[in-house]
Amino acid sequence: MLNKVDENIYELPIGYKEGMRVPGRIFISESLLEMVEPGTIEQVANVATLPGIVKYSMAMPDAHLGYGFPIGGVAAFREDGGVISPGGVGFDINCGVRLLRTDLTVEEVRPVISDLIEALFKEIPSGVGATSRLHVSDSELTEAFVTGARWAVEQGYGTDEDLEHCEENGCLKGADPNQVSTKARKRGRPQFGTLGSGNHFLEVQYVGEVYDERIASRFGLFKGQVTVMIHCGSRGAGHQICTDHLEVLSRAVKKYNIDLPDKQLACAPIGTPEATNYFGAMAAAANYAWANRQIIAHWTREVFAKYFGDVEMPLVYDVAHNVAKIEEHMVDGRLERLYVHRKGATRSFGPSRREVPQDYRDVGQPLLIPGSMGTPSYVLCGQDRALDLTFGSACHGSGRIMSRSQAKKTYRGSDVRASLQREGIKVMATESAVLAEEAPEVYKPSHEVVEVVHALGLAKKVAQMIPLGVSKG
């Protein structure tokens, strides 16, 4: 039974499912809850059975069915007695979003948006198996696994200021490239600087609304301003790393006598070789993703320079979605080191946390919440209240309400393209089926999802971004 405990907060009691160690909590509105599949609720309960879980198994308002954990799932585990689980991270490790701002206005960009999107689509490869024009050696790949976005900056792709505005400065500590298989390396080497497919995109937008002038000014945002949002992750490298270590951790479940309600929750106790090796490989994939987005951002700047000359395009921020991180949090009045899994969820740290970049320390970190081609995206600001409710976490997007296969049966890519064109949105994609899979209607309304985290105080609305043009995989 799902009980409403407060506005936008629903709870699964411990007795909902045998073996639950903590309650489940879903942060969602009544209308959005109607869009959530029953299987997603079951996954929240399943995660609550894992050893060492702290306080709650949680799901954000964009939650939907995932592998093991729901997408939109958050769970924290004690260092002593807890576990780490690839299902709580996902296959696309450090799928994330970065936002570039410009000094251009929508009036300056709209007349050339068609040519601009075509140029971005040409210069930044996208689609399943897309390969990059960047060729890296095995030793360079190893360095990127270890140092992340800094490797890209040192190769001439961006500046040190970019690193200051990346979560973790674009590098997750603890990466161990020795835990990355030859197959993962082979898949990742040719894909640096590529968008990938599915819900990944590069979108040219403009600021349609500003909700908080003070925070928007701190982030460098103003109404009518053109921005660029980049959404992608660790490509084939991250997928293969997850696949490889799932096999190992599936065996570890038996080795350490862990009773699971779902084999997709394969895990290992923190501190064991299996858990340590997975964390090292996962961190390497996260760093690959930050380097990947750094390269894409650099090429985006080059395309804009061809059209607008010496245009300034600073990085507002870069957030990670699919990752497990070691963080310190207050638990029952005591500071503890926890392994926080965010799977399709965004870190939302307020001004009290030292992890927030110095430029934003007085307001909190930016959160970047993308819409879907024809729907608005949002910039929010982290709030300290999130530390008490969700270990400093919030939503990561709109959240699907329809599978990709169902979407392709329901929509035609050509119709989606025509509809967006009527709204003045230029879209480029490698194939028409991608547009059907990612039609705006297959996602929850982005404004409703954002309103929940804003109302709860998990994050504060700062600005709304309206799409002008999109490059899709």
Side-chain angles (χ1 to χ4, degrees):
M1 180 185 292
L2 196 59
N3 302 318
K4 185 174 183 178
V5 298
D6 207 341
E7 195 65 28
N8 296 323
I9 302 178
Y10 292 80
E11 185 166 297
L12 289 170
I14 288 180
Y16 175 83
K17 189 164 199 169
E18 185 179 354
M20 287 176 67
R21 301 167 190 264
V22 296
R25 280 223 163 165
I26 303 174
F27 300 91
I28 198 165
S29 66
E30 191 172 333
S31 61
L32 289 173
L33 185 59
E34 294 176 359
M35 304 179 194
V36 176
E37 322 97 305
T40 303
I41 309 297
E42 289 299 309
Q43 288 187 323
V44 172
N46 289 342
V47 172
T49 70
L50 292 174
I53 188 169
V54 179
K55 290 178 72 172
Y56 304 104
S57 164
M58 293 172 280
M60 298 297 110
D62 53 340
H64 57 105
L65 204 62
Y67 182 94
F69 281 53
I71 297 169
V74 176
F77 298 87
R78 286 192 166 89
E79 197 167 29
D80 183 14
V83 296
I84 187 166
S85 172
V89 173
F91 281 89
D92 191 3
I93 298 165
N94 190 7
C95 174
V97 177
R98 68 170 42 198
L99 182 71
L100 302 172
R101 59 183 174 89
T102 76
D103 53 6
L104 301 167
T105 65
V106 61
E107 289 79 12
E108 293 174 278
V109 174
R110 197 190 295 276
V112 297
I113 190 63
S114 184
D115 290 343
L116 181 64
I117 292 298
E118 288 180 12
L120 288 166
F121 185 76
K122 178 182 177 183
E123 293 299 317
I124 299 163
S126 59
V128 178
T131 57
S132 176
R133 53 193 170 98
L134 176 67
H135 302 285
V136 297
S137 66
D138 199 56
S139 61
E140 287 175 319
L141 184 64
T142 297
E143 194 172 341
F145 280 143
V146 174
T147 62
R150 177 164 294 283
W151 174 83
V153 169
E154 289 176 351
Q155 302 304 307
Y157 300 99
T159 66
D160 285 341
E161 287 74 19
D162 291 335
L163 303 180
E164 294 171 12
H165 286 181
C166 281
E167 186 173 329
E168 301 295 330
N169 298 118
C171 178
L172 190 59
K173 294 177 182 177
D176 183 357
N178 292 323
Q179 305 307 322
V180 179
S181 69
T182 300
K183 188 173 182 179
R185 287 174 170 271
K186 187 176 181 180
R187 291 184 66 181
R189 192 179 300 112
Q191 292 185 338
F192 257 141
T194 63
L195 270 179
S197 61
N199 63 343
H200 295 165
F201 64 79
L202 188 156
E203 183 170 289
V204 179
Q205 315 162 322
Y206 70 94
V207 179
E209 295 288 345
V210 171
Y211 305 109
D212 189 302
E213 292 283 357
R214 182 179 73 91
I215 300 176
S217 177
R218 174 67 74 240
F219 293 167
L221 301 174
F222 59 87
K223 191 168 182 178
Q225 174 188 26
V226 168
T227 58
V228 179
M229 191 172 273
I230 298 165
H231 179 206
C232 63
S234 49
R235 305 289 285 111
H239 194 284
Q240 190 62 48
I241 284 169
C242 181
T243 300
D244 292 339
H245 286 267
L246 269 173
E247 292 183 16
V248 176
L249 292 172
S250 294
R251 294 192 295 270
V253 169
K254 297 177 182 177
K255 177 180 176 181
Y256 298 108
N257 297 313
I258 301 172
D259 187 23
L260 296 178
D262 180 0
K263 65 180 181 180
Q264 292 183 356
L265 292 174
C267 58
I270 292 165
T272 62
E274 294 89 346
T276 301
N277 292 346
Y278 167 70
F279 187 87
M282 179 211 65
N287 293 339
Y288 176 104
W290 270 310
N292 187 39
R293 291 197 290 274
Q294 185 66 38
I295 294 163
I296 291 172
H298 179 76
W299 287 341
T300 299
R301 287 164 171 159
E302 288 184 337
V303 171
F304 265 74
K306 291 177 183 177
Y307 284 85
F308 304 105
D310 191 20
V311 60
E312 294 278 327
M313 295 188 71
L315 177 63
V316 176
Y317 203 54
D318 180 300
V319 298
H321 289 162
N322 295 352
V323 72
K325 294 166 73 174
I326 303 170
E327 297 173 356
E328 290 188 338
H329 289 274
M330 295 297 294
V331 181
D332 299 328
R334 193 163 58 110
L335 194 64
E336 289 196 43
R337 263 169 57 102
L338 304 174
Y339 280 67
V340 182
H341 294 57
R342 296 188 182 95
K343 198 264 194 72
T346 307
R347 191 184 76 177
S348 180
F349 279 3
S352 71
R353 296 292 298 218
R354 66 180 183 274
E355 295 95 333
V356 176
Q358 193 64 46
D359 287 351
Y360 307 140
R361 189 69 57 81
D362 61 332
V363 293
Q365 72 161 83
L367 277 75
L368 312 173
I369 311 299
S372 176
M373 294 193 293
T375 58
S377 298
Y378 292 84
V379 176
L380 292 86
C381 183
Q383 300 289 285
D384 285 336
R385 177 167 164 75
L387 297 172
D388 298 326
L389 287 179
T390 60
F391 296 106
S393 308
C395 61
H396 87 305
S398 302
R400 296 188 75 93
I401 56 174
M402 188 184 294
S403 70
R404 287 189 166 85
S405 58
Q406 185 61 41
K408 284 191 286 188
K409 293 176 184 176
T410 307
Y411 300 101
R412 293 176 57 187
S414 57
D415 293 339
V416 174
R417 188 193 303 275
S419 174
L420 292 169
Q421 191 168 343
R422 285 193 295 272
E423 296 178 38
I425 301 169
K426 170 72 174 182
V427 178
M428 295 287 293
T430 49
E431 52 186 273
S432 185
V434 171
L435 298 181
E437 291 176 0
E438 296 299 312
E441 293 81 4
V442 308
Y443 285 88
K444 300 180 181 75
S446 55
H447 68 278
E448 288 191 39
V449 171
V450 164
E451 198 57 48
V452 172
V453 298
H454 175 79
L456 284 168
L458 300 179
K460 187 174 186 178
K461 289 195 300 184
V462 177
Q464 179 198 64
M465 332 299 275
I466 307 297
L468 285 169
V470 189
S471 174
K472 295 284 292 184

